[in-house]
Amino acid sequence: MPRGDKSKYTDKQERKADHIAEGYEKRGVSEQEAERRAWATVNKDDAGGKKEGGSGRGKHTGNPAAHKGGKSGGKASASRSAASRSESAKKAAATRKRNAEHRVH
């Protein structure tokens, strides 16, 4: 199977790649680069083509890269009071300032 041959990919994987590429193109990425990134994402999610004969056969597609981030972020900070967050921010700013002074000397 030559490089770039998509014959081992399922219809679902091809639709997924098309959808991802569309998103990149909307954000101004060139068509060729969008296509490359889309197939890289499909490969990352599914470990290659799913049709029989490829090394990726038999693996489930339950770990899509597109759904990994952003689900649980912010819950801890949202449950704290504004005063607590502000105090924490001030402490962090003081630490950054102190560390910056150490780097200069």
Side-chain angles (χ1 to χ4, degrees):
M1 193 165 74
R3 279 180 183 244
D5 181 18
K6 305 291 186 239
S7 65
K8 292 293 180 187
Y9 290 89
T10 62
D11 291 342
K12 180 179 179 179
Q13 287 176 309
E14 289 178 23
R15 287 194 307 274
K16 190 177 189 180
D18 289 342
H19 184 73
I20 294 167
E22 245 175 57
Y24 278 122
E25 286 172 29
K26 280 182 186 173
R27 287 180 269 167
V29 176
S30 73
E31 190 177 338
Q32 194 173 9
E33 176 65 8
E35 194 81 1
R36 186 195 67 76
R37 289 184 189 183
W39 283 109
T41 304
V42 169
N43 284 333
K44 181 181 179 186
D45 287 352
D46 300 344
K50 292 293 172 203
K51 287 186 182 171
E52 208 169 303
S55 62
R57 69 181 182 276
K59 294 186 179 133
H60 75 104
T61 61
N63 192 21
H67 296 276
K68 279 185 177 178
K71 283 191 174 180
S72 59
K75 282 182 187 172
S77 135
S79 66
R80 294 169 57 198
S81 69
S84 170
R85 289 195 309 272
S86 177
E87 185 183 336
S88 183
K90 287 175 186 170
K91 184 178 176 185
T95 301
R96 284 193 295 274
K97 184 178 178 184
R98 197 171 55 248
N99 288 344
E101 289 171 0
H102 284 286
R103 283 189 212 110
V104 172
H105 299 303

